[in-house]
Amino acid sequence: MTAKLVASVFLVAALGCNAPAFAAGSVEAGQAKSMTCAACHGVDGNSVNPEWPSLAGQHTTYIARQLNAFRAGERKNDLMSPMAMILSDEDIADLAAYFQAQAATGGEAEPSKLALGQRVYRSGNVARGVMACAGCHGPNGRGNRRAGCAALATVRADFGMDRG
């Protein structure tokens, strides 16, 4: 390979890695479109009901991936699936931008479960086949935007890992 070809390959790879997975959405448009979402996820994306996840402060890539999965039928929920089916790509980008821009109001861990939670988060639980959470969600739980891994700051323990 010539030096020019090698440089071109690295340039294309670098640009490709930095390109967003979808068009950037509008926070303002997302706010207007989020009124329907507010019934379950809260006006600002901070849900008060443990049945529904908080979306405030969540990465756009994670929100978009989940909404696309509901829309495509890859992820199913009696309430979310029909809501997502009517969303356009632009709607999804706008909603993701809006919810990412909101301040998350996370709760606090139950003190009696904190040490166990930290251990499982950092090291997993080999006996139960649970991988370390930090591998995907990062050392501080802020998630991994590029990989589409959720930020965990506002996820309640009772929401459960089986719901995604």
Side-chain angles (χ1 to χ4, degrees):
M1 271 199 256
T2 67
K4 188 174 184 179
L5 179 60
V6 171
S8 297
V9 169
F10 280 113
L11 178 62
V12 169
L15 291 174
C17 290
N18 290 325
F22 55 93
S26 162
V27 173
E28 294 77 21
Q31 181 177 17
K33 295 173 183 180
S34 73
M35 292 303 118
T36 305
C37 310
C40 297
H41 299 287
V43 175
D44 60 354
N46 287 291
S47 175
V48 295
N49 186 328
E51 186 64 24
W52 302 302
S54 290
L55 303 176
Q58 195 59 262
H59 299 295
T60 57
T61 50
Y62 179 77
I63 293 172
R65 187 176 78 198
Q66 298 310 311
L67 288 173
N68 279 308
F70 280 121
R71 183 174 68 176
E74 297 164 3
R75 184 172 177 195
K76 296 179 183 357
N77 177 278
D78 290 341
L79 296 174
M80 271 308 300
S81 296
M83 302 298 277
M85 286 178 159
I86 62 172
L87 297 175
S88 68
D89 289 343
E90 182 179 356
D91 294 337
I92 289 173
D94 292 341
L95 288 166
Y98 171 69
F99 286 119
Q100 178 178 280
Q102 303 312 298
T105 57
E108 291 191 22
E110 186 177 320
S112 67
K113 296 180 180 180
L114 186 59
L116 173 61
Q118 288 175 336
R119 189 169 51 253
V120 170
Y121 189 86
R122 292 186 181 109
S123 305
N125 183 331
V126 176
R128 294 185 65 192
V130 176
M131 293 176 40
C133 307
C136 296
H137 300 285
N140 56 15
R142 290 195 178 115
N144 183 330
R145 181 182 59 81
R146 289 191 188 275
C149 295
L152 299 180
T154 61
V155 176
R156 293 180 183 87
D158 53 356
F159 184 67
M161 292 177 60
D162 61 326
R163 301 187 193 191

